[in-house]
Amino acid sequence: MKNGWADRKKVIGKSEADEISDPKDGLVRNGLEKLITLPCQPEQDRAYSRTMVEFDPARLIRRVAASQDRDAFAELFEHYAPRIKAMMIRRGASRDRAEDLAQETLIKLWRKAAQYDPERAAASAWVYAIARNISVDESRREGRATAWAEEDGMLEDQHNDEPESQLLVAEREAYVRSSIGALPEEQLRVIRLSFFDGLAHGEIANLLGIPLGTVKSRIRLALQRLRDRVGELK
Amino acid sequence: MTDAIAHHPTDETLAAFASGTLDEARGLVVSMHLSLCAACSRKVEGYEAIGGELLEQATPLSMEPGALRNVLRLIEEDFAAPETGPKQPLDRYQLGPWRWVGPGVRQRSVSVPEVSNIKVFMLKAAPGTRLPYHRHAGYEWTCVLEGAFEHQFGRYGPGDFDEADETMEHKPTVCDGDPCICIVALQGNIVLQSRLGRIIQPLLRL
């Protein structure tokens, strides 16, 4: 848990600190910060999704399960692997390792496809859970990766050659999405650092320079607001 | 699954579990609770939807050329072995032998790699056993698997989850009936309050 933390703090901490001190909160100043701030801009996503061809991950997963459909799998791969790669890097993996972990996640998706129950979970939530488990296993194997410092600046040259969103979201996903978008920035920030970047509550407190109790209460408030809007968040 | 579970992890704990940020020891004890509690499993699924949405919103980062081809090759080499049914959380760990730690109390280790003085073990205590009055130097998270114990905050039966921390003192008593089997993640040492307790503590090796 502790190994890579100091290194990660150097990188994430910089942009988070900028974000805090900058009154024009949310300005995109570099590639890394883009990862942090983009999720605050659901408007942009919604605008894209109206013009996109239908991407129905739940249906694609069912096709993989039913007939080992490689075309369906390829679509899932194109959509999720690059996002999972970004998530793995945020969670402390080197660029090469993140590539491997994203591939590993998609292999797992293939193998577990028959277990996916669309009545129970949105496809994105199910894919997230697989990626999270692989990330957790990775940090158990390696301790937290220490590659952060070496990889400084690596996100500057990312290729943004994929459309931002190819989604036609289910109603439930739309609710979660709009609810996340409606969170106050300070709550969204801790939610993102926790769920996407995989930082423990104590690490978030260190990073933002705020007391642990404040982190916990922001998470509590955010969960409360999400529940209020989404009902049981099913 | 039972609806008789009265004590659950906090929402904050379930959210930390869903985000993959609990340490392995606490994560395992929460997993044991989730394997017995449908309500908390649904909450965790709700929190995973938050993660899913953040994943959808993430800026994609290009995969290496040939990544898809590589993955399809690996899938074919592996005969695409499908994974069936969920595994029990304890399956991935080795369990030590039950060994005597005190009158009516046995303990077996769970092979979670020890990180910063956190241990995971199972505890089996005979009906009527009074565990010594103690407080904790860190946290103690417990999930009851069989039987029941009670302390000042209530009765804890199968599936019940108890989050104790250093601010709490308690003196659990095992309820009549079956032996009580728990899984415990313990940070630091417990601190026995009585003089006798302090004398026997080294024997307990807790």
Side-chain angles (χ1 to χ4, degrees):
Chain A
M1 280 303 219
K2 291 174 293 189
N3 292 359
W5 170 242
D7 294 329
R8 280 219 284 173
K9 186 175 180 179
K10 278 180 213 155
V11 178
I12 309 179
K14 180 171 162 290
S15 51
E16 285 285 346
D18 290 349
E19 221 178 310
I20 293 162
S21 60
D22 187 346
K24 300 182 292 299
D25 199 37
L27 273 190
V28 177
R29 275 179 299 272
N30 60 46
L32 179 67
E33 186 149 89
K34 207 184 276 180
L35 271 182
I36 292 172
T37 52
L38 260 184
C40 326
Q41 299 163 2
E43 296 305 329
Q44 191 183 346
D45 275 10
R46 273 198 288 276
Y48 272 106
S49 63
R50 276 197 292 275
T51 60
M52 284 297 151
V53 279
E54 183 174 345
F55 173 75
D56 183 349
R59 198 169 155 199
L60 295 171
I61 293 166
R62 282 202 301 275
R63 273 167 58 191
V64 169
S67 55
Q68 288 79 53
D69 186 326
R70 278 159 172 72
D71 292 336
F73 180 74
E75 275 193 66
L76 290 163
F77 187 97
E78 300 295 339
H79 181 80
Y80 283 117
R83 289 173 168 77
I84 292 164
K85 183 174 179 180
M87 171 171 149
M88 294 302 181
I89 286 181
R90 297 294 307 181
R91 289 182 168 234
S94 69
R95 203 183 176 102
D96 285 348
R97 198 64 197 132
E99 168 83 24
D100 292 345
L101 294 172
Q103 293 191 19
E104 203 183 308
T105 303
L106 269 292
I107 291 172
K108 200 91 171 173
L109 181 152
W110 173 281
R111 291 197 188 131
K112 290 173 86 81
Q115 288 175 40
Y116 173 61
D117 177 2
E119 302 289 308
R120 210 171 164 95
S124 61
W126 185 72
V127 174
Y128 170 80
I130 295 175
R132 173 208 60 202
N133 289 347
I134 284 185
S135 162
V136 166
D137 284 347
E138 172 72 359
S139 50
R140 282 172 193 170
R141 266 197 300 272
E142 307 289 337
R144 290 278 175 109
T146 52
W148 264 102
E150 300 154 29
E151 298 278 334
D152 206 348
M154 67 198 162
L155 296 175
E156 305 277 2
D157 65 346
Q158 59 180 283
H159 313 293
N160 257 317
D161 54 2
E162 296 223 16
E164 184 53 39
S165 172
Q166 304 177 315
L167 300 182
L168 187 74
V169 286
E171 194 179 359
R172 179 169 53 183
E173 291 170 281
Y175 271 125
V176 175
R177 163 172 292 199
S178 68
S179 303
I180 288 175
L183 286 178
E185 177 54 30
E186 61 174 26
Q187 289 173 26
L188 179 58
R189 184 179 293 131
V190 292
I191 287 289
R192 213 159 44 218
L193 287 170
S194 173
F195 280 86
F196 197 71
D197 295 5
L199 296 184
H201 298 169
E203 293 174 322
I204 296 172
N206 282 342
L207 175 65
L208 300 181
I210 57 178
L212 179 59
T214 308
V215 172
K216 286 174 180 284
S217 70
R218 283 182 190 174
I219 286 178
R220 220 164 20 236
L221 285 168
L223 296 177
Q224 182 67 49
R225 288 176 76 112
L226 291 169
R227 252 198 317 278
D228 289 349
R229 289 179 61 104
V230 191
E232 276 299 297
L233 252 185
K234 281 183 196 167
Chain B
M1 298 285 177
T2 167
D3 52 7
I5 298 175
H7 304 279
H8 302 270
T10 62
D11 287 352
E12 199 185 300
T13 293
L14 293 174
F17 179 84
S19 65
T21 58
L22 281 183
D23 57 72
E24 186 168 3
R26 281 185 285 192
L28 173 56
V29 178
V30 173
S31 297
M32 296 300 288
H33 173 78
L34 293 174
S35 71
L36 298 166
C37 180
C40 287
S41 298
R42 275 198 301 277
K43 276 191 184 176
V44 167
E45 283 165 9
Y47 296 144
E48 285 168 351
I50 297 171
E53 188 47 40
L54 294 175
L55 183 63
E56 293 291 354
Q57 293 181 7
T59 305
L61 206 52
S62 296
M63 297 292 286
E64 295 298 322
L68 173 60
R69 214 168 42 241
N70 184 48
V71 163
L72 286 170
R73 185 178 55 77
L74 288 169
I75 285 170
E76 274 169 32
E77 278 175 8
D78 207 31
F79 300 104
E83 286 193 8
T84 50
K87 296 192 188 95
Q88 287 302 309
L90 268 177
D91 285 354
R92 58 192 292 165
Y93 301 102
Q94 283 194 321
L95 303 179
W98 285 110
R99 59 186 179 77
W100 187 93
V101 289
V105 184
R106 284 173 187 276
Q107 184 190 19
R108 77 193 304 183
S109 62
V110 180
S111 64
V112 175
E114 190 174 328
V115 180
S116 58
N117 205 19
I118 300 166
K119 286 178 279 216
V120 182
F121 53 87
M122 293 172 77
L123 207 60
K124 177 156 69 176
T129 305
R130 287 162 184 279
L131 295 172
Y133 196 59
H134 65 274
R135 63 187 168 80
H136 298 277
Y139 63 72
E140 180 191 51
W141 288 15
T142 304
C143 180
V144 180
L145 305 179
E146 295 175 25
F149 68 81
E150 57 191 354
H151 55 51
Q152 73 268 37
F153 299 109
R155 184 180 194 277
Y156 293 74
D160 275 321
F161 188 88
D162 191 13
E163 277 180 45
D165 62 25
E166 65 277 6
T167 64
M168 246 170 238
E169 297 186 357
H170 59 201
K171 182 185 181 178
T173 301
V174 177
C175 300
D176 290 336
D178 297 322
C180 180
I181 301 179
C182 303
I183 184 161
V184 182
L186 179 71
Q187 182 190 47
N189 293 314
I190 65 168
V191 184
L192 298 174
Q193 301 302 88
S194 70
R195 193 163 143 254
L196 176 63
R198 285 196 293 274
I199 291 168
I200 65 168
Q201 185 169 27
L203 301 176
L204 291 175
R205 284 183 288 176
L206 280 175

